[in-house]
Amino acid sequence: MSMIAVFIGRLFIAVIFIVSGINKLIHVADTNAMISAAGLPSGLAIPTGLFELVAGVCLALGIATRLWAILLAGFVLLTILFFHREFTDPMQAMMAMKNLAIAGGLLCLFGYGHTRWSYDALRARRRGEIAQHDAELRAREAELRAARAEGRAEAVDTPVVVEKRPFWRR
């Protein structure tokens, strides 16, 4: 049951970033204005939107979940510092708390990054199957080498038997 909760939670968090990234890419001018108002360079709208979109899709599919989770957690915490630092304003304080909760969820994803129903788990399972197959193949080859060596040893240790026939039968 907990794996289902982790899967659904991962999807919910991913949706936040997918939608936010799409909105930033659709409304580039507005995003650039907001970024400039925070004192950051204005050309960051498209890279930020692409980052959020790619990271959200990767989280949803479970591709490099731990990496994207820690990167997004840092990103969300930085947005608190740059965009929601007026804690006396109730709206800014609420947005900062929301981002803090999202960062906490992302850190939980970092902790449980390789769960079922993700590309990471599929890849890890496949690597295990390949390692098991390789180990079985090496064991089989070792058995064959041992059998061949045993056969050669028996051939060397076996005395040559010469039949003694009467000279007229030779």
Side-chain angles (χ1 to χ4, degrees):
M1 188 63 143
S2 65
M3 288 300 134
I4 294 172
V6 171
F7 173 70
I8 292 170
R10 191 179 79 218
L11 290 180
F12 286 173
I13 290 175
V15 166
I16 293 169
F17 293 102
I18 292 170
V19 170
S20 178
I22 290 171
N23 283 336
K24 282 179 177 64
L25 293 173
I26 290 173
H27 307 289
V28 175
D30 296 337
T31 304
N32 272 330
M34 183 179 65
I35 290 172
S36 295
L40 297 170
S42 64
L44 294 176
I46 292 176
T48 302
L50 286 174
F51 171 73
E52 287 187 45
L53 181 62
V54 169
V57 169
C58 286
L59 276 185
L61 297 176
I63 299 171
T65 305
R66 298 183 77 192
L67 172 68
W68 288 111
I70 200 75
L71 289 174
L72 283 170
F75 173 77
V76 169
L77 292 173
L78 286 173
T79 60
I80 293 172
L81 292 176
F82 286 107
F83 297 98
H84 308 298
R85 59 180 173 239
E86 296 295 326
F87 298 118
T88 56
D89 178 11
M91 183 60 122
Q92 291 296 319
M94 184 176 68
M95 295 299 280
M97 294 303 286
K98 173 199 59 106
N99 283 1
L100 198 60
I102 292 171
L106 287 164
L107 291 175
C108 287
L109 269 182
F110 177 77
Y112 292 101
H114 293 91
T115 60
R116 280 188 216 154
W117 306 306
S118 71
Y119 176 76
D120 292 340
L122 178 70
R123 195 175 75 216
R125 187 172 43 245
R126 182 68 183 136
R127 264 191 303 224
E129 290 170 358
I130 290 171
Q132 180 181 1
H133 179 265
D134 288 346
E136 290 170 359
L137 186 62
R138 283 192 304 274
R140 208 172 313 128
E141 289 173 357
E143 286 176 10
L144 283 173
R145 281 193 307 272
R148 286 182 190 133
E150 186 177 324
R152 282 192 302 268
E154 286 177 2
V156 170
D157 290 340
T158 305
V160 178
V161 178
V162 178
E163 286 186 37
K164 298 214 175 191
R165 295 189 206 166
F167 68 91
W168 62 86
R169 287 192 170 182
R170 289 187 195 176

